[in-house]
Amino acid sequence: MWDIRTSPRIYNAFADIWKQDDLWVSIDRCCLKLPSKGKWVSRGFTHWDLDVFCCNDSDDPNATIPLDLQGVLALEDTDIDMGGFHCIPGMHKDMKQWAKEHPVPQNHRTKFLTRGIPILVPKRYRKKLTDIKIPMKAGDLLIWRSEIAHGNGENLSLNPRLCMYITMQPAQTMNENYRQLRVSQWQNRLSAGRYSPQIAWDLGREDQLPDFTAAANIEPPHLSE
């Protein structure tokens, strides 16, 4: 996974979008989605890993949703029936106005901000939105803005879907707490704990990030017998 995280081609893609060189890569995870049957049935869902409703709380008419990027790398060829990536393209273009006209319960936002639980697109809104399934070849990198509602679907094929989540963001060198967590994750081969790195960045600005101190003491996972 570190070969992927340090890939110059992937770094250059994010650097071109951010228009800067000083970036941090996410210490993220892989995803294995088995065919949807038996105890592995999974219908999929559409969500945001960003509080796209944040401007609803502001009296400033010029308030904006902060730019944030997410990414996924296909590790195997993924056809549209394998429960791969889908999204509602173009949603970022009028997300601020859309969010004002389509509010979600406050507790959905609270769960995201306090526990990192993604904000689901309510079913009553999805009827008017067009989901696009995107097939990918092994090695394809897909990058999207976090305002775009996205997710994965149900794997109706006979083959598992395998992918890796990866993103890069401007380095937060002033956030010592978060920097130390990243160093500890690398040194001790730790996972991200209960917060996905992509979600952690999306939770807000530096002073709003959750306390990661406890995560630095998490024991690395071990294979079962």
Side-chain angles (χ1 to χ4, degrees):
M1 292 179 71
W2 277 106
D3 288 343
I4 294 174
R5 293 178 185 131
T6 57
S7 165
R9 295 181 64 189
I10 293 178
Y11 166 78
N12 288 335
F14 282 102
D16 285 346
I17 297 174
W18 282 111
K19 300 186 185 304
Q20 69 178 75
D21 298 329
D22 192 9
L23 303 176
W24 279 358
V25 66
S26 59
I27 304 177
D28 221 314
R29 65 196 186 283
C30 290
C31 171
L32 175 66
K33 188 158 194 178
L34 298 175
S36 183
K37 59 182 180 180
K39 65 178 182 179
W40 302 112
V41 170
S42 174
R43 306 298 183 191
F45 62 106
T46 304
H47 66 284
W48 295 280
D49 298 307
L50 175 73
D51 183 8
V52 296
F53 303 90
C54 59
C55 291
N56 293 359
D57 301 333
S58 176
D59 295 327
D60 182 0
N62 297 317
T64 60
I65 301 172
L67 173 63
D68 198 77
L69 300 177
Q70 294 176 253
V72 63
L73 178 74
L75 300 179
E76 296 282 356
D77 291 351
T78 307
D79 295 328
I80 60 174
D81 64 343
M82 290 176 64
F85 184 87
H86 68 257
C87 68
I88 302 172
M91 198 173 195
H92 64 287
K93 296 179 180 179
D94 61 350
M95 188 69 247
K96 181 178 176 180
Q97 184 62 36
W98 189 93
K100 288 184 178 180
E101 297 173 355
H102 303 81
V104 297
Q106 181 59 40
N107 69 312
H108 291 195
R109 296 177 60 197
T110 299
K111 288 179 180 179
F112 171 73
L113 293 170
T114 60
R115 298 165 57 193
I117 297 177
I119 301 175
L120 297 182
V121 179
K123 291 182 179 180
R124 63 183 182 279
Y125 299 154
R126 288 194 61 186
K127 296 178 180 179
K128 298 181 179 180
L129 299 171
T130 302
D131 252 346
I132 301 296
K133 297 179 180 179
I134 301 180
M136 301 176 68
K137 293 293 185 180
D140 283 353
L141 173 67
L142 193 153
I143 302 172
W144 68 96
R145 293 176 60 126
S146 292
E147 303 103 305
I148 297 176
H150 62 281
N152 52 65
E154 184 175 10
N155 188 349
L156 300 175
S157 75
L158 299 177
N159 302 307
R161 177 208 180 197
L162 185 60
C163 66
M164 175 178 169
Y165 297 108
I166 184 170
T167 188
M168 295 187 188
Q169 305 283 3
Q172 299 180 21
T173 55
M174 299 301 292
N175 190 329
E176 183 61 18
N177 186 32
Y178 197 13
R179 192 183 75 84
Q180 288 297 333
L181 170 71
R182 289 173 54 80
V183 171
S184 177
Q185 286 178 310
W186 177 78
Q187 289 179 332
N188 300 302
R189 302 297 188 264
L190 298 176
S191 69
R194 65 193 179 104
Y195 287 104
S196 159
Q198 299 197 19
I199 290 178
W201 269 318
D202 296 342
L203 285 175
R205 298 159 185 81
E206 291 182 5
D207 59 343
Q208 296 174 315
L209 285 167
D211 182 4
F212 294 102
T213 305
N217 297 318
I218 297 175
E219 287 292 328
H222 300 281
L223 292 176
S224 58
E225 294 182 359

